Amino acid sequence: MAQVDKKAGLLRKSSATKKPLKEKVVLMYDGIFSTEDPTKDNPRFWEELFLMKVNLEYLESKLESLDGEELMNIKDNINSLFQQCILALGEEHQIKVVNALQTLCALIRGVHQKNKSSSGFDIINMLMGFDKAELRMKNLMESLDSILCGEASESLKSLCLKLLLCLVTVTDNISQNTILEYVMINSIFEAILQILSDTPSRRVHGHDAVVLLALLVNYRKYESVNPYIVKLSIVDDETTLNGMGLVISQALAEYNRRYREKEEENQGGFFSTFTSMVGNMFIADADEKISVQTNEAILLALYEAVHLNRNFITVLAQSHPEIGLESPPVSLVPTTPTTPLGTTPPSLDIMGTTELPLDPNMQTSNLLITFLKYCSIVMQDTKDEHRLNSGKLCLIILTCIAEDQYANAFLHDDNINFRVNLHRMPMRHRKKAGDKNIPSRPLVCAVLDLMVEFIVTHMMKEFPMDLYLRCVQIVHKLICYQKKCRVRLHYTWRELWLAFISLLKFLMSNETGLLAKHNIFTLTLMVVNLFNMFITYGDTFLPTPSSYDELYYEIIRMHQVFDNLYSMVLRLSTNAGQWKEAASKVTHALVNVRAIINHFNPKIESYAALNHISQLAEEQVLEVVRSNYDTLTLKLQDGLDQYERYSEQPKEAAFFKELVRSISINVRKNVALNTLSQEVLLREFSTIS
């Protein structure tokens, strides 16, 4: 027995001193990283390499560990590896194609990581040789296009898209990624459209395809003619546009679903009961826990589609049973267990269903409803820069919609009504609205509700001025349409008026603090001019004469706010300060509001004295208003129904540049090619005829 133990001990000792064996693929990589031609001793080197499972981690880390001179010494071998990868993409052996795709991604990422400070031309030279780059990239893009448009397996197509995402996002600023010049010349636009128009393909690859398209559209968009912008702007195929709309809808609906789940979790249990018992003292803390990562990549795709393509506006209104119901759902082979795009993609169960998750209170849903719900969640919290930017993008999209004639026709159509359950921020002074109380109304009512909700819930120290300006502009554009087309919308206009009055009150109360950071008079003038629109043209678009009376009632009831505003702007316009001109414009804009107050207040006081009433009821005030319209003199103001149309360049260019940078970093961080198991591939490929 002792002899056996001694022998076992000796064996353990000898095994401990042995160096761990390197796997064969690593030894082959080492051959590439030497200055010798790897095929010198083994003519079948490349053929054998692509039959072996890729070690992405080793390949990338090895590239990063080399200094500039060492990298230049092996440039020929790297060029050969890049070329051999492209050749392998044409192989019938599917494992070789997969390994070539993964190797290309590691090669592109590794060389970029090592040469961050180098010019794009140096990187192209290092990867493929500058003299051969055009041909190499043409061959590569043709091979990828062929795989995406052909009968290749879903896993292979998924890897193709991930390689393209990897290629697009290797630099933070995609416009500095010189390799993309070749992606512009050798377009894969048609391949992306084919994925979106084919139901089974869209379910598996739609999210990646839409994000890829959104990124490609933003390559040097202000500096040169981008073919992806040109082509996206003229797409008119209904199936393709609906497919894109479905992908966006499903991603946003998934976000809404996850948020609602978290909200319900937060409302359950002892903590929720306890907080409600003590008057919701901790409501803010409870709300902070409801955090679901937003999806800027999909939101950017929606923006580009709405902004560039007039035909896409019709997709917003499409009720959503899924296209191609006769096609059976595809069985999905998950290629990545992690989030593939760094922004929240829809879960596979959502993507695989034949139609969108419908609102529990409605027969159908559509992209616009899903988007409005998404906005109502994202715009609740704008305290951090990330969510502030997300809210800004939502409002930019709504601005484009509010300017579009067809979108407005659909929004205001009284024959197409919906119940839209928007999310409302928890506030101590109001009860949570029940979902069942929401009436069925034209969709424009939900847009106005969203704007009112934002206005009343974001009057805070860190005042989001830019978002407020956009909100008020959206309301203005919608009212301009109503005035122009004489649309009498049955909406609770009083809520909007009171929201505006509360906003004016807040701006005055915080005059000193806000003026140190913002020109508050631009926003103030916009709000006052909206009141002027209601006063001047309200009889053409308010639903009933009594609605017009209610407008006057609210102006008279809240006259103190307008009096204080006039005093403030008069004070600033008579001083020789920086706000003199801006304040002066508000002074002139208040002329009709002040005329109403000065005309009706004495008559109301006289009526009260005559009837010995200390405080008049609303109906009594309205009676005085109705009987004294004839003697009121108002000044006609020009340009109330004019507005500057949205233009991305130059005003929004800096915003989109930073947004795309953030999306690029996120996508790069989460594109995962090394999680595709060889066993899954072998099993899948063994079933391919």
Side-chain angles (χ1 to χ4, degrees):
M1 181 68 77
Q3 197 175 355
V4 172
D5 286 346
K6 186 178 176 184
K7 192 175 179 183
L10 285 170
L11 282 171
R12 278 197 298 273
K13 188 177 179 184
S14 64
S15 63
T17 57
K18 273 188 179 178
K19 287 184 180 178
L21 290 170
K22 282 188 177 181
E23 56 181 312
K24 187 172 180 184
V25 75
V26 169
L27 292 170
M28 296 187 85
Y29 290 154
D30 288 344
I32 295 167
F33 288 113
S34 72
T35 53
E36 296 287 324
D37 178 355
T39 61
K40 189 178 173 183
D41 297 324
N42 181 3
R44 292 170 54 82
F45 180 88
W46 298 116
E47 192 179 334
E48 290 175 12
L49 179 69
F50 293 113
L51 285 169
M52 292 183 197
K53 186 180 177 183
V54 179
N55 188 328
L56 284 174
E57 195 179 328
Y58 184 83
L59 193 51
E60 282 188 54
S61 61
K62 187 76 176 173
L63 281 164
E64 287 176 39
S65 69
L66 301 174
D67 63 34
E69 192 180 334
E70 287 172 324
L71 208 54
M72 280 308 295
N73 289 339
I74 60 160
K75 175 184 164 296
D76 289 346
N77 283 356
I78 289 175
N79 288 176
S80 295
L81 177 57
F82 195 90
Q83 161 66 351
Q84 292 299 326
C85 285
I86 294 168
L87 292 174
L89 294 180
E91 291 272 1
E92 285 185 20
H93 203 307
Q94 300 283 283
I95 291 293
K96 283 187 177 182
V97 180
V98 169
N99 289 334
L101 287 168
Q102 292 181 323
T103 305
L104 276 169
C105 188
L107 200 50
I108 291 162
R109 283 199 300 212
V111 169
H112 267 90
Q113 279 295 108
K114 185 66 198 170
N115 295 274
K116 278 184 178 175
S117 59
S118 301
S119 74
F121 299 110
D122 289 339
I123 288 167
I124 289 168
N125 192 36
M126 180 58 63
L127 279 171
M128 57 196 106
F130 202 69
D131 55 332
K132 296 179 181 136
E134 198 169 321
L135 179 62
R136 296 278 185 268
M137 285 303 297
K138 181 176 182 288
N139 293 339
L140 173 61
M141 297 307 294
E142 282 175 357
S143 295
L144 296 179
D145 187 80
S146 174
I147 293 169
L148 289 172
C149 296
E151 299 299 316
S153 74
E154 299 305 341
S155 289
L156 213 50
K157 289 184 179 182
S158 178
L159 271 178
C160 267
L161 285 167
K162 291 188 192 311
L163 171 61
L164 285 163
L165 284 167
C166 172
L167 186 69
V168 172
T169 61
V170 281
T171 55
D172 294 354
N173 180 353
I174 64 169
S175 293
Q176 291 175 349
N177 184 357
T178 318
I179 292 180
L180 290 189
E181 285 297 330
Y182 300 109
V183 183
M184 296 294 121
I185 297 163
N186 305 287
S187 174
I188 47 149
F189 184 81
E190 285 70 24
I192 292 171
L193 292 198
Q194 186 172 312
I195 288 167
L196 296 176
S197 60
D198 177 65
T199 304
S201 262
R202 182 177 65 248
R203 287 179 186 147
V204 188
H205 312 298
H207 192 273
D208 284 16
V210 163
V211 172
L212 177 62
L213 180 58
L215 288 168
L216 288 170
V217 161
N218 280 276
Y219 174 71
R220 303 188 67 186
K221 69 193 307 190
Y222 310 121
E223 300 154 44
S224 59
V225 178
N226 180 324
Y228 290 85
I229 292 177
V230 176
K231 288 179 179 181
L232 179 58
S233 67
I234 57 173
V235 174
D236 59 0
D237 179 66
E238 193 179 337
T239 308
T240 305
L241 291 172
N242 281 338
M244 188 174 184
L246 278 164
V247 171
I248 295 167
S249 246
Q250 286 160 337
L252 298 181
E254 172 74 347
Y255 175 90
N256 297 346
R257 181 187 67 78
R258 287 167 67 186
Y259 180 87
R260 183 175 277 281
E261 282 177 3
K262 285 210 172 190
E263 193 177 40
E264 285 167 1
E265 278 173 31
N266 267 37
Q267 286 166 359
F270 172 76
F271 180 73
S272 175
T273 312
F274 178 71
T275 52
S276 56
M277 282 168 60
V278 294
N280 290 336
M281 282 161 53
F282 307 114
I283 196 84
D285 298 315
D287 187 47
E288 277 171 21
K289 291 182 183 177
I290 306 174
S291 177
V292 180
Q293 189 181 351
T294 50
N295 197 334
E296 279 74 26
I298 282 291
L299 216 52
L300 178 67
L302 175 59
Y303 164 75
E304 296 296 357
V306 168
H307 180 232
L308 294 173
N309 191 307
R310 286 293 311 279
N311 301 313
F312 190 80
I313 293 290
T314 62
V315 175
L316 296 171
Q318 289 287 338
S319 294
H320 272 155
E322 170 76 280
I323 303 160
L325 289 176
E326 70 282 354
S327 307
V330 179
S331 61
L332 302 174
V333 180
T335 56
T336 55
T338 55
T339 303
L341 291 177
T343 47
T344 319
S347 63
L348 297 180
D349 59 324
I350 295 288
M351 293 297 281
T353 55
T354 52
E355 58 180 67
L356 282 175
L358 300 182
D359 190 289
N361 299 309
M362 293 178 358
Q363 295 298 310
T364 59
S365 186
N366 61 42
L367 174 52
L368 189 54
I369 292 170
T370 308
F371 173 60
L372 289 172
K373 289 182 182 181
Y374 179 88
C375 292
S376 71
I377 297 168
V378 168
M379 286 164 56
Q380 283 182 29
D381 177 19
T382 57
K383 285 174 186 169
D384 69 87
E385 194 178 355
H386 177 76
R387 294 182 81 84
L388 185 76
N389 287 338
S390 209
K392 180 174 176 174
L393 184 52
C394 287
L395 288 172
I396 289 174
I397 294 167
L398 283 172
T399 301
C400 294
I401 292 168
E403 287 182 6
D404 187 87
Q405 190 77 6
Y406 176 82
N408 266 307
F410 171 75
L411 285 171
H412 290 87
D413 193 331
D414 209 27
N415 299 311
I416 311 173
N417 295 327
F418 296 91
R419 286 191 184 90
V420 184
N421 178 24
L422 299 175
H423 293 260
R424 285 156 59 92
M425 189 184 284
M427 296 180 81
R428 292 193 188 102
H429 64 272
R430 69 178 183 186
K431 289 182 180 178
K432 188 176 179 351
D435 295 355
K436 290 175 184 174
N437 301 332
I438 300 162
S440 189
R441 305 171 296 172
L443 266 178
V444 70
C445 296
V447 180
L448 290 167
D449 284 350
L450 184 65
M451 299 302 102
V452 169
E453 174 67 11
F454 182 84
I455 289 165
V456 299
T457 56
H458 288 78
M459 291 180 251
M460 57 183 88
K461 189 178 175 184
E462 290 299 318
F463 188 70
M465 176 62 81
D466 180 63
L467 301 191
Y468 267 92
L469 289 168
R470 292 175 194 277
C471 268
V472 177
Q473 283 168 347
I474 289 164
V475 174
H476 180 226
K477 286 167 184 179
L478 294 171
I479 291 172
C480 285
Y481 175 83
Q482 291 165 25
K483 182 248 172 189
K484 178 186 167 188
C485 299
R486 294 183 173 263
V487 176
R488 294 190 180 276
L489 182 69
H490 288 271
Y491 181 69
T492 47
W493 290 109
R494 185 176 283 194
E495 286 185 14
L496 179 69
W497 301 329
L498 291 176
F500 282 153
I501 291 168
S502 297
L503 176 57
L504 292 175
K505 208 170 170 182
F506 173 81
L507 293 172
M508 284 185 288
S509 305
N510 297 274
E511 176 196 341
T512 310
L514 289 173
L515 276 177
K517 298 176 183 176
H518 310 286
N519 173 4
I520 62 171
F521 301 107
T522 306
L523 180 60
T524 307
L525 182 64
M526 286 167 65
V527 171
V528 172
N529 276 338
L530 270 169
F531 275 107
N532 284 328
M533 269 201 83
F534 282 104
I535 293 164
T536 311
Y537 304 115
D539 59 326
T540 66
F541 63 83
L542 285 170
T544 59
S546 62
S547 301
Y548 194 72
D549 301 338
E550 283 171 13
L551 168 68
Y552 277 66
Y553 173 78
E554 289 303 337
I555 290 171
I556 295 160
R557 186 175 73 87
M558 303 301 287
H559 72 89
Q560 196 65 56
V561 175
F562 293 105
D563 292 343
N564 292 345
L565 176 61
Y566 182 73
S567 301
M568 182 184 92
V569 292
L570 189 65
R571 166 171 50 84
L572 288 162
S573 63
T574 50
N575 293 338
Q578 72 175 107
W579 305 116
K580 180 180 171 73
E581 191 183 340
S584 180
K585 286 179 183 174
V586 181
T587 311
H588 294 132
L590 281 165
V591 62
N592 282 342
V593 174
R594 295 189 71 247
I596 291 166
I597 293 165
N598 294 335
H599 176 74
F600 287 106
N601 264 355
K603 289 180 169 49
I604 289 164
E605 287 165 12
S606 172
Y607 179 92
L610 197 67
N611 292 282
H612 307 290
I613 305 168
S614 59
Q615 197 167 355
L616 297 185
E618 181 177 337
E619 198 47 55
Q620 291 168 317
V621 174
L622 289 170
E623 187 186 323
V624 175
V625 168
R626 288 186 194 110
S627 57
N628 287 282
Y629 274 134
D630 295 348
T631 51
L632 173 66
T633 306
L634 295 174
K635 185 180 176 185
L636 188 63
Q637 293 175 311
D638 295 327
L640 293 175
D641 57 349
Q642 305 295 312
Y643 59 81
E644 185 184 348
R645 288 187 68 83
Y646 170 79
S647 174
E648 183 182 317
Q649 171 79 338
K651 286 185 180 177
E652 311 294 351
F655 167 72
F656 280 102
K657 187 179 175 183
E658 282 309 307
L659 179 75
V660 174
R661 175 189 288 269
S662 158
I663 292 168
S664 176
I665 292 167
N666 239 350
V667 171
R668 181 175 69 241
K669 198 191 303 177
N670 290 281
V671 169
L673 283 93
N674 57 341
T675 49
L676 190 63
S677 79
Q678 208 82 347
E679 292 75 21
V680 168
L681 282 168
L682 287 167
R683 191 164 61 248
E684 184 181 338
F685 296 148
S686 68
T687 63
I688 297 170
S689 54

